Amino acid sequence: MFGTGRAVAPAGMPTWDDYPVRERLAERYDAPTWVDNDVNIMMLGEHREGAAKDNDNAVCIKLGTGIGIALVSEGRLHRGAQGCAGRLGNLLHLAMSLRQSDLPPPGDTAGQWTAAAVVQKAKEYAADGTSPWLAKVVAQGETVTAQTVAQAAAHGDTACLGLLREVGAIVGTMLATVVSLLNPSVLVIGGGMSASGDFFTAAIREAVHGQAVPLATRDLRIVTARLGSRAGVVGAAAMALDQLFSAENLDATVTRGLELSDHR
């Protein structure tokens, strides 16, 4: 969490729970240190230099190994009282229930659902021959990944096309509530799954526009992230600069700069 600098029940990394990340890094490098989660950092990057630039009300969803959401409201990243704004577990369960999806359920850690659900279902398609493309991949001894599914869909594999459209529809159903509640001007889709092709993002757009409040979608842009793997670097730099030169830290930043100059 940003406020404490410690991980809180991170999905897939139970041994990191409550680990003092900020303290260890600050001690190791003798420098001011701040810590935030990956989707918040991605949002900062896309808001500062990417797809959400010049948009003071924006939402970013990260779809990859995990799933998470971040939002900028009136130009400021919104983290919430305890730093856990953007947890989508309940909305994801609801979206799957509304669509009566047969995809693997998210369980207790919805943060790891996206790619894991795609891969699990894809392996079933490979095993029973529903997807000839994936069956061939497995027969060749290759590993089935979300990227493999995207490649199969791009080559016209019907089962994989349907799978990605179903995931996109579930994500879009979930995001329709977010859009209606927050009324962003832009919705940025990032993470590894965002590279799954137009059929994936089109399914998200269709669900959002079909289920969100019409006024909230009238001028809404739904776009893929622009910075790719650079989003985290740009976002982390933006966070550090914002904190170093914030009103509460400015005096300490100037003092530290003068001390470093004296030692040269």
Side-chain angles (χ1 to χ4, degrees):
M1 294 297 179
F2 178 82
T4 64
R6 292 171 176 253
V8 178
M13 300 187 298
T15 58
W16 282 81
D17 186 33
D18 202 38
Y19 187 83
V21 179
R22 184 173 63 195
E23 288 89 339
R24 291 298 300 272
L25 289 175
E27 179 183 355
R28 171 65 177 81
Y29 295 102
D30 188 27
T33 305
W34 294 273
V35 175
D36 211 338
N37 67 49
D38 56 352
V39 67
N40 280 348
I41 294 297
M42 176 183 286
M43 176 81 266
L44 282 173
E46 292 292 338
H47 181 245
R48 197 62 55 92
E49 295 293 341
K53 187 176 182 179
D54 299 325
N55 288 269
D56 285 343
N57 294 281
V59 168
C60 178
I61 184 167
K62 176 179 176 291
L63 300 165
T65 303
I67 180 171
I69 195 170
L71 60 119
V72 165
S73 178
E74 301 300 324
R76 295 176 62 88
L77 183 69
H78 179 75
R79 294 184 174 92
Q82 304 300 328
C84 67
R87 299 294 177 93
L88 298 174
N90 290 340
L91 281 181
L92 181 56
H93 280 280
L94 178 60
M96 294 189 72
S97 176
L98 288 172
R99 289 197 55 82
Q100 298 181 330
S101 174
D102 64 350
L103 284 172
D108 294 331
T109 55
Q112 287 190 287
W113 178 75
T114 324
V118 169
V119 170
Q120 184 174 334
K121 198 66 177 178
K123 288 179 177 178
E124 294 177 12
Y125 288 166
D128 63 16
T130 302
S131 167
W133 179 283
L134 294 180
K136 181 179 179 181
V137 167
V138 172
Q140 293 172 343
E142 299 177 23
T143 302
V144 174
T145 65
Q147 184 178 8
T148 309
V149 176
Q151 291 171 346
H155 284 82
D157 185 275
T158 304
C160 290
L161 277 167
L163 175 57
L164 290 178
R165 286 185 179 129
E166 175 64 10
V167 173
I170 291 171
V171 171
T173 297
M174 176 181 65
L175 288 174
T177 301
V178 175
V179 167
S180 296
L181 180 64
L182 302 175
N183 188 202
S185 57
V186 61
L187 171 59
V188 180
I189 304 169
M193 289 291 296
S194 65
S196 294
D198 292 339
F199 35 83
F200 180 66
T201 52
I204 294 177
R205 289 192 185 98
E206 182 179 357
V208 170
H209 282 277
Q211 299 175 50
V213 174
L215 183 59
T217 60
R218 187 175 65 183
D219 299 315
L220 175 68
R221 292 188 302 114
I222 301 177
V223 298
T224 55
R226 187 179 300 164
L227 297 180
S229 60
R230 293 180 55 243
V233 176
V234 175
M239 177 180 66
L241 289 171
D242 289 347
Q243 294 303 315
L244 283 170
F245 296 103
S246 65
E248 59 267 32
N249 294 322
L250 183 58
D251 287 346
T253 299
V254 172
T255 299
R256 183 177 178 82
L258 292 174
E259 290 174 349
L260 291 173
S261 297
D262 290 341
H263 288 133
R264 289 180 178 177

